[in-house]
């Protein structure tokens, strides 16, 4: 469920949940990319408080939990995802350290200045990159980290078709230097950025998404809304294949500056 889904609210929540809940992750990424991003975060302890915002079914949250100490709260708007999240946490024996809760990223249920790390893969676009950076900063302890992945342009110019698609879907997409400047302006020290490799899209996201689509279309045969939603998902894959030199996902790792 990456940025292209600007029309997410036009579709029934249950449909979307049905489609994506068969997948380990709901956006581009991989365990390797999660661990690489985590390698830039120091100073976590058993007492650290970590939030994974827009956690989905929690594929990346469990990777985090296996490699970082502390208590992790995953937060997502979709109760169906959180149900799966908590089931997976229990099945992995991590339920004492990992908890999924239903909530919205524009009204976080955490204490101000309480978090050591805010994690968010492929989800901050729902609130908007700059707004999310600014609002979430309030919940971080001084010196706390934020790690987000977000769509980026790789060039200053690009073909009209892909430009239009993104400007319609998520006008806040920007080039990496502009995004780093936004991080700095929002009150953070940029620590690192890296582009997610293509396999994070093809192998870890599109392949399971294509399999999920078959199950979904079987179940909803004849349902126009479902077919439309599935077609939008297929378009996301086609556009990526055609224009991957021009855009992708970037991991941004930054540290809260000041108080
Ligand atoms: N981080 C996961 C999921 C990314 S998809 C992964 O990388 O696999 C984006 C997620 O954001 C979805 O699970 C969606 O339900 C969630 N989301 C959308 N709007 C939200 C909001 N306002 N508050 C919290 N979560 C939201």
């Amino acid at each position: 469920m990456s940025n292209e889904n600007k029309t997410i609210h036009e579709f029934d929540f249950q449909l979307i949940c049905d489609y994506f809940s068969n997948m380990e992750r709901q956006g581009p990424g991989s365990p390797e990319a999660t661990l690489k991003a985590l390698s830039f975060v120091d100073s976590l302890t058993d007492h650290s408080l970590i939030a994974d915002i827009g956690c989905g079914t929690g594929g990346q949250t469990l990777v985090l939990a296996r490699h970082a100490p502390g208590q992790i709260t995953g937060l997502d708007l979709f109760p169906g995802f959180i149900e799966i999240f908590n089931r997976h946490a229990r099945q992995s024996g991590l339920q004492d350290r990992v908890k999924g809760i239903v909530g919205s990223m524009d009204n976080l249920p955490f204490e101000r200045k309480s978090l050591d790390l805010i994690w968010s893969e492929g989800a901050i676009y729902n609130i908007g990159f700059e707004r999310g950076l600014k609002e979430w900063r309030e919940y971080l302890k001084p010196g706390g980290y934020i790690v987000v992945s977000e769509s980026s342009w790789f060039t200053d110019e690009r073909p009209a078709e892909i430009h239009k698609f993104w400007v319609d879907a998520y006008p806040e997409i920007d080039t990496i230097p502009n995004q780093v400047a936004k991080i700095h302006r929002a009150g953070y020290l940029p620590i690192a950025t890296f582009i997610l490799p293509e396999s994070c899209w093809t192998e870890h996201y599109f392949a399971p998404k294509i399999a999920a689509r078959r199950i979904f279309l079987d179940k909803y045969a004849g349902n126009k809304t479902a077919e439309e939603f599935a077609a939008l998902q297929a378009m996301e894959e086609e556009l990526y294949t055609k224009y991957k030199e021009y855009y992708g996902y970037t991991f941004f790792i930054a540290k809260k500056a000041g108080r």
Side-chain angles (χ1 to χ4, degrees), residues 52-64:
D52 183 357
I53 303 179
C55 58
T57 58
Q60 74 291 326
T61 326
L62 292 185
V63 173
L64 270 182

Side-chain angles (χ1 to χ4, degrees), residues 57-160:
T57 58
Q60 74 291 326
T61 326
L62 292 185
V63 173
L64 270 182
R66 290 191 187 101
H67 293 89
Q71 293 290 328
I72 309 184
T73 304
L75 176 135
D76 202 279
L77 195 58
F78 283 11
F81 287 169
I82 290 301
E83 220 172 273
I84 295 170
F85 178 110
N86 282 323
R87 191 169 67 233
H88 287 171
R90 276 194 306 277
Q91 285 165 349
S92 310
L94 288 162
Q95 70 277 8
D96 294 339
R97 293 182 44 226
V98 181
K99 190 175 74 186
I101 58 172
V102 177
S104 188
M105 59 175 73
D106 54 14
N107 184 20
L108 295 177
F110 306 114
E111 303 267 322
R112 308 256 147 185
K113 298 190 184 185
S114 66
L115 301 175
D116 295 274
L117 169 62
I118 290 180
W119 200 273
S120 183
E121 294 194 29
I124 196 171
Y125 72 91
N126 287 293
I127 189 172
F129 190 64
E130 282 198 276
R131 180 177 165 204
L133 287 170
K134 187 162 163 273
E135 291 188 11
W136 297 355
R137 184 180 179 281
E138 298 300 314
Y139 299 92
L140 280 177
K141 286 181 188 162
Y145 280 83
I146 187 161
V147 178
V148 298
S149 66
E150 166 79 332
S151 46
S152 308
W153 290 128
F154 294 163
T155 55
D156 283 333
E157 296 190 359
R158 72 271 333 173

Side-chain angles (χ1 to χ4, degrees), residues 15 25 61 131 142 151 169 205 232 240 244:
L15 277 186
R25 38 181 327 125
T61 326
R131 180 177 165 204
S151 46
Y205 181 45
L232 189 73
Y240 180 74
K244 61 190 175 201

